[in-house]
């Protein structure tokens, strides 16, 4: 810990002394304009000066069309001045530029025989006439004034069309990666994470981020949910975090935010807990009297950020240090504590009149004790996590002339993390009949270095009666992953929940992903019409690198040590993706827009798409029936049913145990999954700074991948729909009294009795299978003016999977043509299903009151996630220890609707030239809901229908912030 503390002290010192030195991803915005006289005729030759504390002064002259453009501007406020002899000088103040957006100005200059200046105070347009995509910009203004848990996944949950699995009350889930859905991308596998133009997406856990964030270091977040231009490879959620930067005026802030156990309500006082007696039922679900309220026992969020000039109009600095100390108690009473430490440093310089340079450094570290604590994970089975992520970026931009811009950047990222079981590696891991793990857990370690180089250019030209902004880009990324899992004890997991023992072997994965891409686009504007046309090419490839693992400690003859060689993935994904978007100004004043877009996307290649080339990517596993004869919860040799043989076979060939071949063949003709998207909508500015609109979104996913069983050592003989026959029905009564009778299928004897049945599989594209998303959204946006701001949306949507034939079925158990699309949550606390809710309502806003007071709120409401009740059937298929058979179709039963209401009252105190102080009082979960978030869904278990997780109670949080 000494080295970490020294690093933080060094960062604080650097940030403190720097004022004395004054002796692709989208992370910028644009200003476009046309200058006309009072008759509407364009005026060429106008000198246009753009000034701002972040750039000094930039100058252009309007061309023959009267147009000008300032692009790649950091988010912030700018002043514009237009001058030409014979006309009054035009000045517009505080033009606000947002990430990924364009400000489109129509400037009228009036003839004047005398020198005069006309200063315009009118608000800038709220609608972006060049934008065809959907999503939202979350400004620093919104981040600072709306009560949130100060976590990017919480901000995502405030975006129309995005649904996050966790309910993060006051920061109780801060720093935890969440499972989410975004307009048909269930699980978020195609999400792209970017920080200041650096791709920080984790390609091993594809769609996740490699780091965590300091909320106060963020100037703005751009979140796109569709209509992505060719600079973004996928159709998934696009997240662009833009950190702050220094300018000519020194600026900074410091904050301290806190809550504690005594500032919480009790939302379990009517339930039986160790603290008090009460009901053993909650909303119709069983409540375990040994459980207690989940609790945010302590939260401390503090830090500083400061920036300013090194040399005015030439060089600037900015830096930040942030710490979040979050201590919680899980439903089973186990502590779950998270410490996030972040350092950011940025230097900007105007090297020449047309050349700017940037160096950016970021370090994020997550230290966690009690990861995965929950209803089925007591303290000894939780993880202790640590490991930093370091990012370095150098960037250069050059303006050749006002019509030609070039940008290039290089970044290096290294993410390291360790998951160490609290119970150690000497203890044995086991699970009891109620589904609760005990003893310890496995250990996981990972290291992920990545190099990225990107270059792109913008070129403006007049042709075909309109203006063109051509964009060209190139990108190369090299992502390496080295990870391993170490099995504790004798490497035997005694599992009374399923009546088996897992005989295990360690895993090790070393892989290399390479991504090369080119894109070209044209934003064509003519009159009221703007068309965005783009084409993208992506080449994605992967390699498994050599590695080795140790065998099972208790039974090395069954699972011996093995080594695997380096091998390339047998395919390279080469894809061309077209993008088309159109915006039409219906009224000619930029206040009523119609938009439409069409796009095709190819999924991003994750390590998961080829890592089954290696037999040791996952822990090898052989399952045998087991009976706990002596009641010690551990497996002894005489308790294992060796005569029956392995009933579960995973990533190992029991007929050839010393072989290093993979039991899964990756199809050499595997191609990238693809997605089609069509969006049509409109938006109207009904009064100044207030717009309403709506969108219809249609998406189709096809050519998806799956793993299907095959005959032993014969990938050309995959199991098909006709190879399965009805094996039986699960019957019983659901907790609400409804009877169920659901069929399940098993492999026919002709295939099941072949030698080696159930060992091998094929990873390939899934024919006759697709997914479709349909969504309608309505939204309202009010930019802060006249003392108030608002963001509101309502979504109605469906997300389903379809079969065009039987080729994509194989085992028809649990398959429903037109069924709801779901995925298992990655929360770690407990397993539950996440799907796209039919409805979702979001609203947040602020109103400024007299005497420096303001009131704000945030409402998130959605339909509950589906419940997937199931029954376990054993001895159905070879190679599998059992089959979970759903008792009803997905969506027939759901968890209760989730409603979260958070409120804030804030008081601003002016210190004159010395700055401002803000005092905040936040109340989260105002209604003190105790909504169950997950239940135990296995019906033939003693814990069936038992609450596994619930909302945190009402929490009061205080904050103080100083800014200058």
């Amino acid at each position: 810990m000494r080295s970490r503390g020294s690093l933080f002290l060094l960062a604080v010192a650097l940030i403190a002394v720097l004022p004395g030195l004054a002796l692709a991803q989208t992370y910028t915005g644009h200003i476009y304009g046309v200058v006309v006289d009072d008759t509407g005729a364009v005026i060429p030759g106008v000198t246009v000066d753009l000034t701002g504390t972040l750039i000094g002064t930039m100058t252009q002259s309007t061309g023959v069309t009267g147009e000008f453009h300032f692009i790649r501007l950091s988010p912030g406020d700018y002043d514009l001045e237009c001058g030409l002899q014979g006309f009054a000088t035009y000045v517009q103040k505080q033009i606000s530029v947002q990430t990924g957006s364009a400000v489109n100005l129509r400037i009228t200059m009036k003839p004047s025989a005398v020198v005069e200046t006309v200063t315009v105070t009118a608000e800038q347009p709220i609608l972006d006439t060049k934008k065809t995509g959907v999503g939202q910009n979350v400004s620093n203004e919104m981040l600072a004034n709306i009560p949130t848990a100060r976590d990017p996944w919480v901000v995502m949950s405030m975006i129309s069309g995005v649904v996050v699995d966790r309910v993060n009350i006051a920061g109780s889930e801060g720093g935890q990666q969440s499972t989410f859905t975004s307009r048909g991308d269930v699980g978020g596998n195609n999400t792209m994470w970017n920080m200041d133009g650096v791709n920080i997406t984790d390609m091993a856990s594809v769609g996740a981020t490699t780091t965590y964030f300091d909320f106060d270091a963020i100037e703005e977040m751009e979140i796109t949910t569709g209509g992505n231009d060719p600079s973004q490879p996928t159709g998934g959620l696009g997240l662009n975090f833009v950190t702050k930067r220094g300018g000519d005026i020194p600026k900074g802030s410091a904050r301290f935010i806190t809550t504690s156990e005594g500032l919480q309500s009790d939302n379990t006082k009517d339930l039986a807990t160790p603290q008090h007696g009460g009901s053993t039922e909650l909303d119709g679900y069983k409540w375990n009297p040994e459980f207690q309220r989940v609790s945010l026992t302590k939260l401390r969020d503090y830090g500083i950020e400061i920036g300013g000039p090194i040399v005015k109009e030439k060089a600037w600095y900015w830096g930040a240090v942030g710490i979040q100390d979050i201590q919680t108690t899980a439903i089973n009473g186990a502590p779950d504590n998270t410490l996030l430490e972040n350092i950011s440093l940025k230097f900007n310089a105007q090297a020449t009149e047309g050349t700017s340079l940037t160096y950016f450094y970021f370090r994020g570290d997550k230290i966690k004790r009690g990861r995965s604590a929950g209803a089925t994970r007591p303290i000894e089975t939780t993880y202790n996590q640590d490991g930093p992520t370091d990012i370095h970026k150098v960037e250069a931009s050059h303006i050749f002339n006002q019509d030609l811009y070039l940008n290039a950047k290089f970044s290096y990222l290294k993410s390291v993390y360790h998951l160490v079981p609290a119970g150690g590696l000497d203890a044995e891991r086991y699970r009891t009949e109620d589904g609760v793990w005990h003893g310890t857990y496995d250990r996981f370690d990972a290291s992920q270095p990545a190099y990225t180089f990107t270059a792109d250019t913008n070129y403006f030209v007049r042709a075909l009666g309109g203006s063109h902004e051509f964009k060209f880009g190139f990108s190369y990324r090299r992502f390496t992953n080295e990870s391993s899992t170490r099995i504790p004890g004798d490497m035997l997991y005694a599992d009374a929940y399923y009546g088996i023992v897992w005989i295990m072997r360690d895993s090790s994965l070393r892989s290399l992903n390479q991504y090369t891409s080119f894109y070209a686009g044209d934003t064509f504007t003519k009159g009221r019409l703007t068309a965005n046309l783009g084409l993208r090419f992506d080449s994605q490839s992967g390699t498994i690198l050599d590695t080795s693992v140790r065998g099972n400690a208790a039974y090395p003859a069954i699972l011996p040590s093995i080594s695997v060689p380096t091998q390339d993935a047998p395919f390279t994904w080469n894809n061309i993706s077209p993008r088309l978007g159109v915006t039409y100004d219906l009224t000619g004043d930029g206040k009523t827009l119609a938009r439409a877009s069409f796009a095709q996307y190819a999924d991003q290649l994750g390590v998961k798409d080829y890592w089954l080339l290696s037999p040791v990517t996952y822990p090898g596993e052989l399952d045998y029936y087991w009976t706990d004869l002596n009641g010690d919860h551990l497996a002894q040799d005489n308790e294992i049913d060796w005569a029956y043989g392995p009933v579960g076979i995973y990533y190992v060939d029991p007929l050839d145990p010393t072989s290093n071949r993979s039991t899964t063949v990756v199809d050499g003709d595997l191609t990238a999954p693809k997605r089609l998207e069509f969006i049509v909508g409109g938006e109207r500015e009904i009064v100044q700074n207030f717009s309403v609109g709506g969108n219809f979104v249609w998406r189709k996913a096809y050519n998806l991948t799956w793993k299907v069983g095959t005959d032993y050592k014969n990938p050309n003989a995959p199991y098909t729909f006709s190879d399965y026959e009805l094996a039986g029905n699960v019957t019983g009564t659901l907790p609400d009294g409804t009877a169920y009778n659901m069929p399940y299928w098993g492999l026919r004897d002709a295939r099941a009795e072949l030698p080696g049945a159930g060992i091998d599989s094929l990873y390939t594209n899934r024919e006759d299978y697709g997914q479709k998303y349909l969504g309608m959204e309505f939204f309202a946006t009010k930019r802060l003016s006249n003392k108030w701001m608002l963001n509101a949306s309502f979504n109605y949507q469906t997300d389903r999977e379809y079969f065009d034939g039987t080729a994509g079925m194989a085992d028809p158990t649990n398959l429903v043509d037109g069924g709801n699309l779901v995925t298992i949550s990655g929360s770690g606390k407990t397993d539950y299903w996440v799907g796209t809710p039919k409805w979702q309502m979001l609203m947040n806003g602020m109103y400024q009151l007299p005497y420096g007071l303001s009131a704000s709120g945030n409402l998130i409401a959605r339909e509950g996630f589906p419940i997937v009740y199931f029954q376990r059937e054993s001895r159905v298929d070879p190679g599998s220890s059992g089959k979970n058979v759903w008792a009803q179709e997905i969506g027939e039963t759901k968890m209760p609707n989730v409603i979260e209401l958070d409120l804030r009252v804030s008081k601003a105190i002016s210190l004159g030239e010395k700055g401002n102080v803000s005092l905040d009082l936040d109340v989260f979960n105002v209604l003190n809901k105790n909504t169950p978030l997950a239940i135990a869904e296995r019906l033939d278990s003693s814990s069936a229908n038992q609450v596994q997780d619930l909302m945190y109670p009402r929490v009061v949080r205080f904050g103080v912030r100083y800014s200058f």
Side-chain angles (χ1 to χ4, degrees):
M1 293 298 291
R2 180 179 300 172
S3 60
R4 180 180 291 122
S6 300
L7 185 59
F8 265 77
L9 288 174
L10 175 61
V12 172
L14 280 171
I15 294 171
V17 304
L18 278 171
L21 298 179
L23 271 178
Q25 280 69 18
T26 303
Y27 59 104
T28 58
H30 320 287
I31 296 176
Y32 300 92
V34 58
V35 182
V36 300
D37 62 21
D38 51 9
T39 69
V42 299
I43 309 176
V46 177
T47 299
V48 184
D49 293 327
L50 185 74
T51 59
T53 63
L54 304 178
I55 61 169
T57 300
M58 301 175 67
T59 301
Q60 290 187 14
S61 296
T62 59
V64 295
T65 60
E67 295 176 336
F68 64 88
H69 37 256
F70 295 96
I71 68 171
R72 300 185 183 279
L73 299 171
S74 295
D77 291 336
Y78 297 86
D79 296 339
L80 189 76
E81 180 176 307
C82 302
L84 182 65
Q85 186 174 0
F87 290 85
T89 301
Y90 175 99
V91 176
Q92 183 163 349
K93 299 283 189 179
Q94 292 188 314
I95 301 171
S96 179
V97 172
Q98 293 185 318
T99 302
S101 297
V103 178
N104 302 282
L105 302 174
R106 183 177 176 87
I107 293 170
T108 301
M109 295 183 67
K110 296 184 178 181
S112 177
V114 297
V115 177
E116 64 173 316
T117 299
V118 177
T119 300
V120 176
T121 58
E123 296 286 347
Q124 70 187 57
I126 192 173
L127 305 185
D128 183 353
T129 59
K130 295 183 181 294
K131 191 171 186 177
T132 57
V134 293
Q136 186 175 336
N137 280 69
V138 182
S139 65
N140 180 262
E141 190 175 68
M142 179 176 170
L143 294 174
N145 289 293
I146 301 299
T148 72
R150 298 177 56 77
D151 180 274
W153 289 274
V154 171
V155 177
M156 288 162 55
S157 70
M158 298 161 60
I159 304 301
S160 178
V162 181
V163 180
V164 179
D165 63 345
R166 299 171 187 266
V167 180
N168 190 343
I169 304 296
S172 55
E173 298 281 0
Q176 316 308 318
Q177 300 238 18
S178 299
T179 299
F180 54 88
T181 73
S182 173
R183 302 194 191 280
D185 187 16
V186 175
N189 288 340
N190 280 289
T191 300
M192 298 292 294
W193 296 79
N194 297 277
M195 181 187 293
D196 274 15
V198 177
N199 187 340
I200 59 172
T201 311
D202 183 347
M203 308 311 297
S205 181
V206 62
T209 173
T210 51
T211 192
Y212 302 87
F213 306 90
D214 176 5
F215 219 58
D216 272 43
I218 299 171
E219 176 67 29
E220 192 168 86
M221 292 173 58
E222 182 199 23
I223 302 178
T224 59
T225 60
N228 300 329
D229 71 23
S231 66
Q232 182 163 319
T234 75
L237 193 66
L239 296 115
N240 296 307
F241 299 85
V242 182
T243 59
K244 297 175 181 178
R245 56 160 290 180
D248 283 340
I249 300 175
K251 289 185 178 181
S253 66
R255 88 275 184 179
F256 180 77
I257 301 168
T258 184
T259 189
S260 62
E261 180 81 21
L263 295 173
Q264 295 179 68
S265 299
D266 188 348
N267 61 357
T268 61
K269 61 184 179 181
D270 295 327
L271 298 172
T273 69
Q275 289 77 29
H276 38 65
S279 175
T280 55
E281 184 177 287
L282 175 61
D283 288 346
Y285 309 106
K286 289 195 302 185
W287 175 259
N288 186 342
E290 297 180 4
F291 288 168
Q292 60 187 35
R293 67 166 182 169
V294 289
S295 174
L296 178 56
T297 54
K298 186 182 85 169
L299 181 143
R300 301 286 187 273
D301 184 333
Y302 52 96
I304 63 172
E305 58 88 16
I306 188 171
I310 299 174
V311 179
K312 281 195 173 184
E313 299 191 7
K314 292 293 184 181
W316 305 270
Y317 74 91
W318 171 82
V321 173
I323 297 175
Q324 291 187 64
D325 185 359
I326 306 163
Q327 300 182 17
T328 66
T329 302
I331 196 171
N332 62 352
D336 185 353
N337 303 327
T338 304
L339 181 66
L340 302 179
E341 299 176 340
N342 291 279
I343 301 172
S344 305
L345 292 170
K346 186 183 292 185
F347 298 94
N348 296 86
Q350 195 69 36
T352 68
E353 183 178 348
T355 304
S356 59
L357 304 174
T358 301
Y359 169 73
F360 173 65
Y361 171 73
F362 171 85
R363 180 182 176 88
D365 200 356
K366 177 179 177 179
I367 303 100
K368 188 169 179 63
R369 301 295 180 261
R371 171 171 168 156
S372 300
T376 61
R377 299 283 296 274
I379 185 63
E380 71 272 13
T381 67
T382 63
Y383 286 124
N384 295 327
Q385 176 181 349
D386 66 82
T389 296
D390 290 282
I391 302 171
H392 299 267
K393 182 193 78 168
V394 291
E395 180 176 6
S397 295
H398 184 71
I399 303 173
F400 292 93
N401 55 59
Q402 68 183 52
D403 292 329
L404 180 60
Y405 297 71
L406 176 66
N407 175 272
K409 52 184 172 286
F410 172 80
S411 64
Y412 170 72
L413 176 152
K414 186 173 184 180
S415 176
V416 177
Y417 61 99
H418 312 281
L419 303 179
V420 181
L425 289 173
D426 295 329
E428 302 293 337
R429 172 181 161 186
Y430 64 92
R431 183 160 58 172
T432 49
E433 291 85 349
D434 57 359
V436 179
W437 289 101
H438 297 277
T440 188
Y441 226 71
D442 44 76
R443 173 175 179 140
F444 181 79
D445 299 274
S447 175
Q448 299 171 334
Y451 302 86
T452 306
F453 173 77
T454 62
D456 45 37
T457 184
N458 297 65
Y459 178 61
F460 293 84
V461 67
R462 180 81 180 175
L464 302 177
S467 61
H468 299 259
E469 180 183 356
F470 293 105
K471 304 173 185 178
F472 305 94
F474 165 79
S475 175
Y476 172 77
R477 190 179 191 216
R478 176 187 173 95
F479 180 93
T480 304
N481 176 79
E482 296 188 9
S483 59
S484 63
T485 301
R486 188 172 178 87
I487 308 300
D490 287 337
M491 307 170 76
L492 307 176
Y493 294 167
D495 186 357
Y497 185 64
Y498 285 147
I500 57 176
V501 59
W502 309 12
I503 300 178
M504 305 289 292
R505 178 168 63 195
D506 289 348
S507 72
S508 176
L509 172 64
R510 298 179 63 244
S511 61
L512 168 65
N513 282 35
Q514 297 187 80
Y515 306 87
T516 303
S517 64
F518 301 88
Y519 75 85
D522 177 21
T523 300
F524 173 66
T525 304
K526 183 177 182 180
R528 299 182 183 185
L529 176 70
T530 298
N532 288 293
L533 306 121
L535 199 63
R536 181 181 180 90
F537 171 77
D538 288 284
S539 181
Q540 308 179 79
S541 62
T543 301
I544 291 288
L545 305 175
D546 64 288
T547 190
S548 60
V549 298
R550 63 180 184 139
N552 183 269
Y555 300 103
I558 294 177
L559 279 180
S561 302
I562 61 171
S563 299
V564 296
T566 295
Q567 50 184 323
D568 292 329
F571 59 83
T572 297
W573 286 356
N574 294 317
N575 295 99
I576 296 176
S577 305
R579 314 285 168 87
L580 171 63
V582 176
T583 300
Y584 191 76
D585 184 353
L586 294 173
T587 54
D589 57 3
K591 295 185 176 182
T592 307
L593 303 181
R595 296 187 175 105
S597 67
F598 169 81
Q600 182 183 66
Y601 307 100
D603 282 11
Q604 55 189 343
L605 177 74
V607 183
K608 68 177 181 61
D609 289 302
Y610 65 89
W611 61 15
L612 292 176
L613 289 168
S614 168
V616 297
T617 292
Y618 292 106
E621 178 185 340
L622 294 175
D623 298 341
Y624 290 81
Y625 288 128
W626 164 72
T627 303
D628 189 11
L629 299 177
N630 59 9
D632 66 352
H633 303 295
L634 303 178
Q636 283 81 38
D637 192 80
N638 66 312
E639 298 175 337
I640 301 174
D641 188 351
W642 298 107
Y644 193 89
V647 294
I649 303 169
Y650 307 96
Y651 313 108
V652 63
D653 183 353
L655 302 182
D656 190 5
T658 61
S659 170
N660 65 0
R661 81 173 185 95
S662 174
T663 56
T664 299
V665 171
V666 177
D667 189 348
D669 295 324
L670 189 76
T671 55
K674 297 180 179 64
R675 297 171 194 269
L676 294 176
E677 173 191 81
F678 176 71
I679 303 174
V680 61
E683 190 171 2
R684 166 69 179 172
E685 184 177 350
I686 54 176
V687 296
Q688 195 172 70
N689 292 313
F690 186 29
S691 69
V692 297
N695 291 302
F696 169 78
V697 182
W698 174 89
R699 278 184 166 181
K700 177 182 178 181
Y702 63 101
N703 203 50
L704 301 173
T705 57
W706 70 330
K707 190 173 76 167
V708 60
T710 71
D711 286 345
Y712 184 57
K713 294 186 178 181
N714 187 3
N716 295 318
Y719 299 153
T720 66
F721 176 80
S722 61
D723 291 319
Y724 287 82
E725 62 184 358
L726 185 66
N729 291 66
V730 293
T731 59
T733 304
L734 295 174
D736 65 359
T738 303
Y740 65 88
N741 185 339
M742 295 292 284
Y744 63 93
W745 282 257
L747 196 63
R748 295 181 184 273
D749 291 344
R751 301 294 287 270
E753 293 176 355
L754 292 175
I759 295 176
D760 282 15
S761 59
L762 172 69
Y763 185 72
T764 186
N765 293 109
R766 190 173 187 179
E767 298 179 14
D768 290 347
Y769 174 79
Q771 300 168 359
K772 292 180 182 178
Y773 169 88
L774 292 173
M776 285 287 296
E777 69 172 354
F778 304 93
F779 58 87
T781 302
K782 170 64 170 61
R783 188 163 55 199
L784 180 59
S785 64
N786 302 322
K787 299 183 178 183
W788 67 288
M789 69 177 182
L790 174 72
N791 287 283
S793 66
F794 179 81
N795 270 267
Y796 185 81
Q797 53 203 355
T798 62
D799 198 0
R800 301 180 182 276
E801 54 184 356
Y802 296 91
F803 296 88
D804 296 327
T806 60
M809 286 188 174
D811 183 359
T813 304
N814 301 332
L815 295 184
V816 177
D817 188 20
N820 289 288
L821 191 61
V822 294
T823 188
I824 288 286
S825 167
S827 74
K829 295 180 175 183
T830 186
D831 290 337
Y832 60 97
W833 295 89
V834 175
T836 300
K838 283 186 178 179
W839 64 270
Q840 172 197 40
M841 183 172 66
L842 309 171
M843 182 179 298
N844 60 74
M846 180 186 72
Y847 188 82
Q848 295 174 329
L849 301 164
Y851 308 110
L853 293 170
S854 63
S856 58
N858 182 39
L859 173 67
I860 299 175
R862 61 166 172 81
E863 181 185 54
F865 289 140
I867 297 174
V868 183
Y869 287 117
F870 71 94
Q871 189 170 310
R872 181 78 171 179
E873 292 297 318
S874 60
R875 308 192 185 196
V876 180
D877 293 317
S880 176
S881 59
K883 179 171 288 187
N884 294 339
V885 184
W886 299 347
Q888 56 182 179
E889 292 184 12
I890 291 177
E892 291 188 17
T893 306
K894 295 183 177 66
M895 298 296 298
N897 297 334
V898 173
I899 299 175
E900 177 188 351
L901 175 63
D902 309 320
L903 298 176
R904 165 180 290 183
V905 176
S906 183
K907 167 66 175 176
I909 304 172
S910 174
L911 303 179
E913 294 182 356
K914 295 182 179 180
N916 298 280
V917 172
S918 176
L919 305 176
D920 301 326
L921 172 64
D922 298 324
V923 183
F924 293 88
N925 190 10
V926 172
L927 303 176
N928 202 32
K929 293 281 189 176
N930 61 357
T931 307
L933 301 177
I935 62 166
E937 295 167 326
R938 182 178 173 183
L939 295 171
D940 54 333
S941 166
S942 60
S943 60
N945 211 43
Q946 182 186 96
V947 174
Q948 304 286 280
D949 194 19
L950 78 164
M951 284 179 65
Y952 280 74
R954 181 191 300 119
V955 177
V956 176
R957 190 180 75 182
F958 294 98
V960 58
R961 181 184 306 277
Y962 167 72
S963 58
F964 66 92

